[in-house]
Amino acid sequence: MPIPAQALRASIEPNATAPHLIRNFCIIAHIDHGKSTLADRMLQLTGVVEPRAMRAQYLDRMDIERERGITIKSQAVRMPWQPTPGSLDDDAAEQRAYALNMIDTPGHVDFTYEVSRSLAACEGAVLLVDAAQGIEAQTLANLYLAMENDLEIIPVLNKIDLPAAQPEKYAEEIGNLVGVDPAEVMRVSGKTGEGVDALLDRIVDRIPAPTGDASASARAMIFDSVYDIYRGVVTYVRVVDGSLNPRERIAMMSTRAEHELLEIGVISPEPIPTKGIGVGEVGYLITGVKDVRQSKVGDTVTGAAKPASQALGGYEDPKPMVFSGLYPIDGSDYPALREALDKLKLNDAALNYEPETSVALGFGFRVGFLGLLHLEIVRERLEREFDLDLISTAPNVVYEVDLEDRSTVTVTNPSEFPGGKIREVREPVVRATILTPSEFVGTVMGLCTDRRGTMLGMDYLSEDRVELRYTLPLAEIVFDFFDQLKSRTRGYASLDYETSGEQVADLVKVDVLLQGDKVDAFSAIVHKDKAYDYGVQMTAKLKELIPRQQFEVPIQAAVGARVIARETVRAIRKDVLAKCYGGDISRKRKLLEKQKEGKKRMKTIGSVEVPKDAFISALSTDSSKDKKK
């Protein structure tokens, strides 16, 4: 039931909110199962957003999230709730106003790191499943993450208002998975609001209150940060022990930096300053610091006067899965790109980058991403939020190369691939989980076999839904694997994957040569069986892009010293016979021989200038836009 404004303010004040009246939970689901819509109904039902200010996807703050209809950043919000009479066993408990700290999480596999950080700040999770689609791959992945964090799980079927909804069928599926009676699986509609009040009552009843020592030294875990152009770094924390108050000095336990707390408060859903935050509460801190490196996700905040002796267990650093070069089209934008990446890393802790130079593209950065969608989102945010024009090179993964002298080289860029005698090359592999209707099992198996996959197992979740488990090379799935999977299963299959070590593979480096000179920017590391296809494709593309010269230009693709594909850019020829309007043939032959000698001399001393537009067209990943999972 909605609470009046004065009660709302009272429930937000930390001095009035004891830990036993706080519930911290997050919403986890596969992409497009209605997390943000359900969050909208909760905001309306608890009265923290006025009807005139309400809009769809209220917690999705970025334009790119609203345009694509996906959640990229987890968003925390505090809501007051007084349980419905008769919903709890304890009558006295029903008279109290509880503070619910909710975190709306992304559903895409590339943003699992956001989900894992959210789970660490909660005691419970609402597992949301579409009543028309059932359990999908990312549903399982997020469920296992929640179980690893030992959270209380509340299974919920959403979209029960759809004509295609099959709540009874999928309730049984979820019940078997989570280990509860199908009758206990809640039915709600994020669109109409049906069952949302009962869900909030269930959250109060089932999810345990946070535990911590209120009298101990303050310890708060940083789970997110953003950069505000006026106020500097805004840090989001979950208090575990003690309390934090305005104007006190705080210390970061990893960097040992000390700051004064200028403002402290909660998000409900806009920032509301308070007199402090205590055990179990989620809030924000503002210290006025402008240096983005001062606030590290996973760090522990403590009081400078009475510091804690032991830091909280931080988060495991995410390992980049895909690498791509980001270069400014205008070289003078390089410092601006560095500053933009610094600020974006504060908001996206999974981002890794280091400076890199390219003969063709100049100065830029080698950036590590969690997946192809992560790459697209980061590039688009850099272009929109920081007004940069960028080129992104084709994505590739990290390889380990063992040489004959027993040394090992880590290759993140094809130009780093060593020459000479190579003992073995190891590539990263992933454990992929694919959920598909049973009629498409053969098609999916064929696709995985084509991509060098090894089958690990197959289980029937129900009569018409199958779970396939494969080991696949990461390099085979970062481009168009998901698109192929969707097209072959008419859009019904879903995919999730996690890193699973390395394997030895027969990989080679394909070099592209222009007039005999290697152009590193066009090199690629591919499987031996696909080297010829890549060589033919790249030489044909460059033939169209490189302008004709005064001499013939050969474009070759080679593996080592062996040429595997060739195209030729024909020379521009001047009609030297135009002035001959008759006479002896020997006069014409003499002119042609003279031209031939000139062309031959020009070919030995001439160089091919590849225009920047050709590099952009050949290397950029624009064609892979909108490949969403």
Side-chain angles (χ1 to χ4, degrees), residues 187-428:
R187 278 84 159 164
V188 304
S189 170
K191 185 176 181 182
T192 65
E194 182 184 346
V196 177
D197 51 353
L199 174 58
L200 291 170
D201 292 338
R202 179 75 64 90
I203 288 167
V204 171
D205 187 34
R206 293 287 180 87
I207 293 178
T211 56
D213 188 350
S215 60
S217 299
R219 290 197 303 169
M221 171 77 78
I222 299 176
F223 68 89
D224 205 358
S225 299
V226 294
Y227 185 82
D228 185 287
I229 193 170
Y230 300 109
R231 313 189 75 180
V233 178
V234 180
T235 305
Y236 296 105
V237 297
R238 153 75 195 270
V239 179
V240 176
D241 293 322
S243 61
L244 295 171
N245 302 296
R247 293 300 170 184
E248 76 169 304
R249 291 195 67 77
I250 59 169
M252 306 292 179
M253 293 192 74
S254 68
T255 61
R256 302 188 184 279
E258 291 191 11
H259 312 290
E260 183 183 0
L261 267 181
L262 301 180
E263 183 178 311
I264 190 167
V266 296
I267 308 292
S268 185
E270 305 304 326
I272 299 177
T274 65
K275 296 175 184 176
I277 53 176
V279 172
E281 295 198 275
V282 176
Y284 69 90
L285 313 175
I286 295 176
T287 58
V289 174
K290 299 286 186 180
D291 185 357
V292 295
R293 291 180 290 271
Q294 296 280 337
S295 187
K296 183 184 175 186
V297 169
D299 198 358
T300 302
V301 179
T302 188
K306 186 186 172 186
S309 58
Q310 189 173 0
L312 297 164
Y315 306 111
E316 185 179 337
D317 287 334
K319 294 179 182 177
M321 307 269 277
V322 177
F323 285 83
S324 176
L326 285 181
Y327 295 87
I329 290 178
D330 184 350
S332 62
D333 284 340
Y334 177 74
L337 176 58
R338 178 190 289 276
E339 187 179 347
L341 283 168
D342 280 344
K343 290 178 179 175
L344 203 59
K345 182 170 175 60
L346 181 74
N347 192 242
D348 185 351
L351 199 61
N352 289 281
Y353 56 92
E354 57 184 35
E356 180 183 70
T357 56
S358 164
V359 176
L361 302 173
F363 291 97
F365 290 90
R366 192 82 186 155
V367 188
F369 303 94
L370 299 181
L372 217 56
L373 180 66
H374 189 209
L375 187 160
E376 290 177 21
I377 295 296
V378 167
R379 175 180 166 174
E380 201 161 332
R381 288 187 67 186
L382 287 168
E383 290 179 342
R384 286 189 183 199
E385 297 175 22
F386 301 97
D387 199 24
L388 295 168
D389 290 322
L390 301 173
I391 307 167
S392 59
T393 61
N396 62 277
V397 299
V398 185
Y399 301 97
E400 297 285 338
V401 182
D402 288 347
L403 304 177
E404 287 290 348
D405 61 1
R406 300 289 176 180
S407 62
T408 302
V409 179
T410 301
V411 177
T412 61
N413 190 339
S415 62
E416 298 170 359
F417 199 84
K421 293 188 176 180
I422 294 172
R423 196 156 56 91
E424 68 177 27
V425 182
R426 295 188 301 278
E427 64 177 346

Side-chain angles (χ1 to χ4, degrees), residues 64-107:
I64 191 170
E65 289 181 310
R66 307 184 69 76
E67 288 170 14
R68 290 181 176 236
I70 59 175
T71 301
I72 295 165
K73 284 292 298 174
S74 296
Q75 296 290 345
V77 61
R78 182 169 175 140
M79 307 175 296
W81 181 251
Q82 190 167 323
T84 308
S87 63
L88 304 184
D89 295 333
D90 184 1
D91 293 337
E94 292 178 354
Q95 306 304 317
R96 304 178 188 132
Y98 288 78
L100 308 182
N101 291 314
M102 177 188 70
I103 302 179
D104 180 25
T105 64

Side-chain angles (χ1 to χ4, degrees), residues 2-23:
I3 295 178
Q6 62 270 24
L8 166 61
R9 174 62 65 182
S11 69
I12 286 173
E13 288 296 343
N15 298 334
T17 309
H20 70 277
L21 295 177
I22 296 173
R23 299 291 184 269

